[in-house]
Amino acid sequence: MNSDRVVSSPVQAAAGGDRSVEQTRVRAARVRGMHPGRPHLSAHGQVVLSAYIAVLPALALFALFVIIPVFEGLWVSLHRWDGLSPMVWTGLDNYGYVLNDGIFWEAMWHTILFAIVTTVAKNALGLGLAVLLNRPLRGRSFFRTVAFMPVTLAFVMIGILWSWVYNPIFGILDGALDAVGLGSLAQGWLSDPNIALFSIMVVDIWKWTGFHMVVYLAGLQQVPTDVLEAASVDGASGRQRFWFVTLPLLRPVIIFNVLLSIVGGFTTTYDLVYVMTGGGPFHSTEVALTWIVSTTMRFLNVGEGSAMSVVLLVIVGAIGLVEMFLMTRGNSEDEVG
Amino acid sequence: MGARSTVGRILGSGVTYFILATVFLVTVYPLFWMFSGSLKSTGDFYGNVWGPPTTPQFVNYADAWTIGSLGGKIVNSVLITAGTLIVTVPLATLAAYAIARLRFPGRRFLFYLFLLGIAVPQGVTAIPIFTVALNLGLVNTRLGLVLVLAAQALAMEIFLMQSFFRSLPRELEEAAMVDGCTPLGAFMRVIAPLTKPGIATQVVIVGVGAWNEYFLTSLLIRSQDLQTLPVGLVYFSGRYSTNYPDLFAALSIGALPMLILFVLAQRQFISGLTAGAVKA
C-alpha cells in the first residue's frame, strides 16, 4: 500500500512524497516496461545495484594490486623466504633484524632528511617565485611554462643528465665554477659521502620547484583583492598584509604542497637515487626504498625486505593520514554523509 | 592584481627580472646542454663544453636509435601508457560517480578505503605486488604491468573525480530519471558528456605517470624487448656509458616526446598535473 512505502527516490523526496510525483514514478516504471504492481527492484534498489556494478571493477583491481599486496607483505614478513624455496615461518624475527639493521635506519634517516630538506626548499622557492610572478609581468606565462618543463620529465632521465652535470671532467657544474674562478669549490658531488645526498636533493628541487610555483601562483591569484585593500585601508603594511591576510588564506594550498612534497620525498626517490648513485658511496645516499629493493632482490631476503616495507608503510601511512585529516578538515560541507 | 607584498615592492622590477632570468637559466641550461651535446662529435663534446655544436652530428641520433632499439622502447611506452589509461579512466570514473552521487550501503566505507589508497603510495608495496603478479603469471607481461600501474592510479583518480562530480548540480540526474532513465542510464546520457574536463585531468596525471614510470616497470619487466623508454634509457646508459654524444642523443630522444606534448598542450598539462591543489 502507498502508506507504508518508503520514500525511495530523490525526486519523490524532493517533492515531499507528493502523490503527483508518485504518479510520475508509476509512469516512468511503465516506460521501462515494468508493471508497477509486480515485484521488481524499487528505484532505490536500482540505484544500489547500479552503484555496486559501477564500483566493482575498480574495487576488484584495487583489491588485487593494492589491498592484497599490503596483506601479502605482512604475511611474508613473518617468514624467511628467498623467493624460490618454501617459506619458513619465523614469526617476528624479521622485525628484530630490521630493528638492528644499521643500514636500514641510516637509509630511513636519509629518507627523512631528504623529504624535509627538499620540501622546505621546493616550497620556499616555489612560494617566493610565485610572489615575484604575482603581478603583471611580461613573459610571465612563458616563464611559467619553462619552469614547469622539468616536472614533465622522468626522474631517471633527469638523474642520468645530472650525473653528467656533476661529472668532474666534462660536467658543466665544475666547469662553471672554474670559469668564474671558483674552481677550488669543486667537490666530488656524487663521490663524496658527505655531500652526495645533498647533490641528489638539488636535482629533486630542480625538477619540482616549478610545480609548486605554479600551484602557489594559482593560490595567490585567488586571494580576494578587496580583503587586501581593506587591510591596506586599515593601515597594514605590505609585510603585515602578506603574513596576516595572504598566508592564512593560502593555508590549504600550503598544506597540499607540503604534504605532497613530504610523501614524494619518501616514495619517489627510488628512481633518482638508483640512477645517480645506486645508494653509494658506502650507503651514504641509501634511501629506504633502495635498501628494501637491495635486500629483497640482491640478497634474496624477501622476508626481511617485506618487514622493512611494512615499517616504511606504517611511517608513510601515518603521514598520509595526517594529510587526509588536514585536507578534509576544511571541507566538512562536502564530506560524505 | 594579486598581493603586493613588501618583498615585491622593495625588490622592484629590475631585481625581479634578474632573479627570474637566473632561475630560467638554471632550469633551461641543463636541457640545452643535453640537446647540444647530443649533436656533437666526440671531440667537440670534450673540447667545446658550453656552446652549441660546431657541426651538428645528427648521425648520433641514428646510432642511439639503433643501438638502444629506442624505437621498440617507444612503442612499448605508448602501449603501456595507452593501456593504463584505458583501464584506469573508465574504472575510476564509474566508481567515483557511484561514491559521489549514488546512495548505497558501504558508500562511506568505500570512500575511506580509496582515500587510504592515497596514503599508500606507489613503491611501498612494490615487493608484494611482485609476488602477487608472480602468482598470477603476470610478471614480464605488458598486461600485468598495465594492471599494476592502473591499480596504483585508481585511488588518486577516484578522489579527484569524486570532487569533480560533487560539483555538478543534482538536478541533472533527477531530471533524467523522471524521464524514465535508470541511474546508470542517467549517467551515460546526462553526466558523461560533462565529464570531459575531469577526464582530461585524469589523462594527464595517469598518462605522464605511466610514461615516466621506472620503479615498478623495472621490477615487473624482465626481457629487453618489453622494456619501456625509461627502463631502456637506464639500460642504455649503463651499457654504453663511454659514448657520450650517443648517450646524450638517447637522453634527448627520451625527453623529446613529453617535451613536445607539453609545449603543445601547456595549459592542459599544468592544470591537469596540479589539479586538486587549488579548488577552481
Side-chain angles (χ1 to χ4, degrees), chain A residues 57-128:
Chain A
L59 186 59
L61 191 59
F62 184 76
L64 185 61
F65 282 117
V66 179
I67 301 181
I68 290 184
V70 170
F71 287 105
E72 164 98 16
L74 275 167
W75 177 248
V76 172
S77 73
L78 300 172
H79 295 73
R80 185 177 69 235
W81 193 34
D82 63 357
L84 295 167
S85 350
M87 302 207 289
V88 177
W89 174 268
T90 56
L92 295 176
D93 284 2
N94 282 322
Y95 289 95
Y97 298 143
V98 169
L99 284 176
N100 286 324
D101 186 345
I103 301 182
F104 176 69
W105 293 108
E106 200 185 327
M108 276 307 304
W109 168 241
H110 293 156
T111 313
I112 293 174
L113 190 62
F114 192 98
I116 294 179
V117 172
T118 54
T119 298
V120 169
K122 286 186 286 198
N123 281 278
L125 282 174
L127 183 56

Side-chain angles (χ1 to χ4, degrees), chain A residues 214-229:
Chain A
V214 168
V215 176
Y216 280 126
L217 188 58
L220 282 175
Q221 292 184 333
Q222 285 190 349
V223 172
T225 37
D226 43 335
V227 179
L228 285 167
E229 277 163 15

Side-chain angles (χ1 to χ4, degrees), chain B residues 3 29 34 49 60 66 71 88 91 100 122 124 140 142 149 154 160-162 171 173 189 197 215 238 247 268 276 279:
Chain B
Y29 192 74
M34 177 182 76
V49 177
N60 293 339
T66 28
T88 310
L91 263 57
Q122 274 198 25
V124 172
N140 209 32
R142 288 200 192 97
L149 293 182
L154 277 177
L160 287 175
M161 285 309 281
Q162 259 185 69
E171 291 78 50
E173 297 115 295
R189 232 163 283 219
F215 183 31
L247 174 61
Q268 284 82 342
K279 306 273 168 116

Side-chain angles (χ1 to χ4, degrees), chain A residues 10-11 24 28 31-32 44 46-48 50-55 57-59 61-62 64-70 72-73 81 129 131-138 140-154 156-157 160-162 164-165 170-172 175-176 179 206 211 214-215 218-222 225 228 237-242 246 253 256 263 267 270-271 274-275 289 292-293 296-297 302 306 309 312-313 316-317 320-321 324 327-328 331 334-337, chain B residues 1-6 8-9 11-13 16-17 19-20 23-24 26-31 33-34 45-46 49-50 87 91 94-95 98-99 102-105 107-108 110-117 119-125 127-133 135-136 138 147-148 150-152 154-155 158-159 166 174 177-178 180-184 208 212 214-215 218-219 222 230 233-234 237 241 244 247-248 251 254-255 258-259 262 266 269-270 273-280:
Chain A
V11 176
T24 308
V31 165
R32 271 181 259 127
H44 181 60
Q46 281 219 341
V47 167
V48 172
S50 311
Y52 285 144
I53 295 177
V55 163
L59 186 59
L61 191 59
F62 184 76
L64 185 61
F65 282 117
V66 179
I67 301 181
I68 290 184
V70 170
E72 164 98 16
W81 193 34
L129 286 173
V131 166
L132 282 182
L133 281 185
N134 190 23
R135 66 225 332 242
L137 275 182
R138 263 178 317 160
R140 174 165 79 176
S141 87
F142 172 74
F143 184 84
R144 227 173 56 133
T145 304
V146 166
F148 204 82
M149 273 196 319
V151 177
T152 61
L153 298 173
V156 290
M157 199 230 97
I160 297 177
L161 178 63
W162 273 83
W164 288 102
V165 170
F170 341 97
I172 45 179
W206 179 83
F211 175 88
V214 168
V215 176
L220 282 175
Q221 292 184 333
Q222 285 190 349
T225 37
L228 285 167
S237 72
R239 180 176 310 180
Q240 286 174 318
R241 285 203 304 270
F242 185 74
T246 311
V253 179
F256 174 85
V263 173
T267 58
Y270 177 82
D271 290 10
Y274 177 76
V275 146
L289 281 176
I292 289 177
V293 172
T296 311
M297 294 298 189
V302 187
S306 302
S309 297
L312 182 62
L313 180 57
V316 175
L321 283 173
M324 272 164 26
M327 281 206 326
T328 56
N331 298 351
D334 21 82
E335 224 183 306
V336 179
Chain B
M1 72 180 269
R4 303 283 304 264
S5 66
T6 314
R9 250 189 304 178
L11 284 187
S13 289
T16 303
Y17 277 113
I19 294 179
L20 293 180
V23 173
F24 176 85
V26 170
T27 305
V28 164
Y29 192 74
L31 295 175
W33 186 55
M34 177 182 76
F45 192 91
Y46 297 151
V49 177
W50 297 94
V87 173
L91 263 57
L94 272 178
I99 295 178
L102 302 177
R103 298 195 175 280
F104 60 96
R107 174 190 178 202
R108 267 198 109 129
L110 282 178
F111 175 77
Y112 287 112
L113 183 65
F114 284 118
L115 206 54
L116 275 182
V120 177
Q122 274 198 25
V124 172
T125 44
I127 311 298
I129 286 177
F130 180 82
T131 29
V132 170
N135 288 327
L136 291 173
L138 288 175
L147 290 178
V148 167
Q152 309 306 307
L154 277 177
I158 291 179
F159 178 74
R166 271 205 270 267
E174 284 168 11
M177 293 215 274
V178 168
C181 278
T182 64
L184 277 186
V208 173
N212 288 339
Y214 175 80
F215 183 31
S218 69
L219 282 183
R222 306 264 128 193
L233 272 180
V234 173
S237 98
S241 53
Y244 307 123
L247 174 61
F248 273 47
L251 279 181
M258 198 50 76
L259 278 180
F262 174 66
Q266 298 161 31
F269 263 76
I270 294 185
L273 286 174
T274 58
V278 183
K279 306 273 168 116

Side-chain angles (χ1 to χ4, degrees), chain B residues 59-232:
Chain B
V59 65
N60 293 339
Y61 279 80
D63 285 346
W65 186 273
T66 28
I67 300 176
S69 323
L70 291 180
K73 311 280 188 261
I74 291 184
V75 167
N76 286 330
S77 279
V78 171
L79 289 175
I80 298 292
T81 302
T84 309
L85 284 171
I86 291 175
V87 173
T88 310
V89 174
L91 263 57
T93 307
L94 272 178
Y97 177 72
I99 295 178
R101 294 290 253 216
L102 302 177
R103 298 195 175 280
F104 60 96
R107 174 190 178 202
R108 267 198 109 129
F109 169 73
L110 282 178
F111 175 77
Y112 287 112
L113 183 65
F114 284 118
L115 206 54
L116 275 182
I118 301 185
V120 177
Q122 274 198 25
V124 172
T125 44
I127 311 298
I129 286 177
F130 180 82
T131 29
V132 170
L134 189 61
N135 288 327
L136 291 173
L138 288 175
V139 171
N140 209 32
T141 61
R142 288 200 192 97
L143 176 66
L145 183 58
V146 163
L147 290 178
V148 167
L149 293 182
Q152 309 306 307
L154 277 177
M156 182 54 136
E157 294 312 311
I158 291 179
F159 178 74
L160 287 175
M161 285 309 281
Q162 259 185 69
S163 59
F164 175 82
F165 281 126
R166 271 205 270 267
S167 69
L168 295 175
R170 274 204 170 263
E171 291 78 50
L172 294 170
E173 297 115 295
E174 284 168 11
M177 293 215 274
V178 168
D179 285 345
C181 278
T182 64
L184 277 186
F187 174 75
M188 295 308 298
R189 232 163 283 219
V190 177
I191 303 291
L194 294 174
T195 58
K196 274 217 310 228
I199 294 196
T201 305
Q202 281 195 61
V203 168
V204 172
I205 296 182
V206 176
V208 173
W211 183 270
N212 288 339
E213 214 281 329
Y214 175 80
F215 183 31
L216 288 171
T217 312
S218 69
L219 282 183
L220 290 170
I221 296 294
R222 306 264 128 193
S223 48
Q224 257 194 292
D225 44 317
L226 290 179
Q227 285 177 342
T228 56
L229 202 50
V231 178

